[in-house]
Amino acid sequence: MATERRAAPTSRGEARRHGGATARAAVLLLAVCATLAACKPVGIGDPEAVGTVAAVSVSGDVTSLSFVPDAGYEYFSGTIFQVPSTVDVWDRGWNGMAASDIPAGARIEVWTDQCAESFPVRCGVTGVRVTG
């Protein structure tokens, strides 16, 4: 199997073009790394629900969080968020933790996917962050 070898740049302009491509790639790589480091693990957007945990119940690998919403999040009034062990849960510093370690009285942010229009509303949980 033959390998391709490139000749050294023959002109200053050609050397600059090759060096420029390398520099652009390095800058792009740094930008991607910085962006990934700055990203929160939850993904895109603000949480759908913010409030306080009224009660915690653990059954198998599912933690149920009875939720009392903050003003502006009344849509989730009376909701019990079911948090399976496969859902990411973080503390204030975005460190992973178990949902079963969330205490009653904790302030939380919740990210959801589709919600069933009922009262109380039932939503799939995609992430939870304990903020206080």
Side-chain angles (χ1 to χ4, degrees):
M1 179 161 36
T3 58
E4 183 181 320
R5 291 202 159 186
R6 289 189 139 169
T10 57
S11 70
R12 194 172 235 196
E14 191 176 341
R16 191 175 302 135
R17 279 193 303 274
H18 288 289
T22 302
R24 282 191 299 278
V27 168
L28 179 60
L29 180 61
L30 287 174
V32 168
C33 290
T35 300
L36 290 175
C39 288
K40 300 300 183 224
V42 172
I44 300 172
D46 293 327
E48 280 77 29
V50 176
T52 303
V53 176
V56 179
S57 173
V58 179
S59 177
D61 67 345
V62 176
T63 301
S64 300
L65 305 174
S66 297
F67 185 75
V68 178
D70 283 0
Y73 298 94
E74 290 85 359
Y75 176 77
F76 297 97
S77 184
T79 296
I80 298 174
F81 289 114
Q82 304 292 324
V83 185
S85 61
T86 56
V87 169
D88 290 326
V89 178
W90 302 276
D91 63 14
R92 180 181 301 172
W94 294 101
N95 301 301
M97 62 182 288
S100 58
D101 290 338
I102 298 173
R107 306 261 315 130
I108 61 171
E109 299 173 332
V110 181
W111 284 261
T112 65
D113 56 13
Q114 295 181 352
C115 294
E117 295 300 322
S118 60
F119 184 78
V121 67
R122 292 184 316 259
C123 302
V125 176
T126 59
V128 177
R129 180 175 177 220
V130 178
T131 59

